[in-house]
Amino acid sequence: MKGRFAPSPTGYIHLGNVWIALLSFLSTKQQDGTYVVRMEDIDLQRSKREYGEALLDDLEWLGFTWDEGPRVGGPEKSYWQSERLGLYDEILSSFALEKRIYPCFCNRARLQSIASAPHRGEVRHHYDGYCRMLSNEAIAALCTDKKPSYRLRVDTQSFLFDDRYQGHQVFTLQSGNDDFVLRRSDGMYAYNLAVVVDDIKMGITEVIRGHDLLDATVQQLYLYKLLGAQPPIYGHAPLLIDSAGYRLSKRQKSITIRELKALQWMPERIIGELAVLAGFIERSSAPVISLAELIELTLDTPALHQDNIVIDALRA
Ligand code: GLU
């Protein structure tokens, strides 16, 4: 099997990122698999190479190792998505030839006005299929003053999968309403396309990631089907949040691994706290364990079916 950690280097890493890295790394190690690190830096406005390098430094400091990825190489030419754009171009061109995509000229304000409140288990309906039926003449006219995004022409389909943490999942994509963007109007590729193309190309068989990406999985399953590839096993782990309900992610103001390091936290202490949250080791007042020691233990799949875990104590 092959597992992976695919962070977006848009800031210094937090416990929330390390939590996902830990779960995916240990799951791969328990199965004697190959572990891949891939940098998802296709959002050229938000991602920075220096954050990517800092992230790799922090992972190394914490004791993570990877079999394929930046700094160690592997069968792929690059493990930075910004250096893999040709692959996404190829897939998009083949979809264009098959008439599976169409240009969409809708602006953000219009898209927001049609977005309805998302409910759990339902895909957000961002779109009403407005540009699906445009004539060639209309497209040519619109193209003169606006660059379009490109949407996939979706056929109504349901997808079922068993999530390692969240259990049985059923999602339906509706033709038109759920036609999703593969390339943005600024030319950047959408996460859903890049992640699927790369996971297929890299032979990933298990994807462990944050619960916030559960709803995107159906779009990815749709792409797997179109591309004739076997989807991976998914595990969507609860997000770590603080007691005010804020997610411990780089977008929120919360403590980074760099700050913890500056406060004299040792890697074993950080890993120890996260290992307690996953139920890998017993709770104690100051849990300490290294990744190398954790790998040696026989670990059950953690019971992580909740959406969030509050970890305020860690910040004390
Ligand atoms: N790059 C995404 C993120 O950092 C995760 C992608 C994935 O694991 O599928 O949020």
Side-chain angles (χ1 to χ4, degrees), residues 3 21 46 66 74 112-114 155 180-181 219 251 273 280 316:
R46 293 182 55 229
W66 47 98
Q112 269 162 7
S113 73
I114 57 173
D155 296 325
F180 55 97
V181 172
Q219 297 170 332
R251 276 177 238 177
E273 289 287 350
F280 292 144

Side-chain angles (χ1 to χ4, degrees), residues 161-235:
F161 64 99
D162 282 309
D163 191 272
R164 172 163 288 193
Y165 305 131
Q166 306 298 328
H168 193 59
Q169 305 292 316
V170 183
F171 286 97
T172 301
L173 283 184
Q174 304 283 353
S175 163
N177 271 353
D178 293 324
D179 289 357
F180 55 97
V181 172
L182 295 183
R183 189 173 175 174
R184 296 172 6 184
S185 57
D186 60 7
M188 282 190 216
Y189 285 98
Y191 152 70
N192 279 319
L193 180 73
V195 78
V196 170
V197 169
D198 282 352
D199 280 338
I200 293 174
K201 184 87 195 331
M202 295 177 183
I204 302 299
T205 59
E206 182 183 270
V207 167
I208 290 191
R209 60 188 177 193
H211 184 271
D212 53 336
L213 292 171
L214 183 60
D215 286 357
T217 306
V218 64
Q219 297 170 332
Q220 295 172 24
L221 289 172
Y222 196 95
L223 289 172
Y224 274 95
K225 195 161 172 192
L226 267 190
L227 295 169
Q230 172 75 26
I233 289 167
Y234 288 103

Side-chain angles (χ1 to χ4, degrees), residues 4-9 17 20 38-41 81 191 195 199 207-210 212-213 220 234 236 247 250-251:
R4 50 73 154 178
F5 178 51
S8 303
N17 308 97
I20 299 299
R38 178 178 71 234
M39 288 295 168
E40 301 215 320
D41 61 341
Q81 285 189 328
Y191 152 70
V195 78
D199 280 338
V207 167
I208 290 191
R209 60 188 177 193
D212 53 336
L213 292 171
Q220 295 172 24
Y234 288 103
H236 288 88
R247 188 178 150 190
K250 45 205 176 279
R251 276 177 238 177

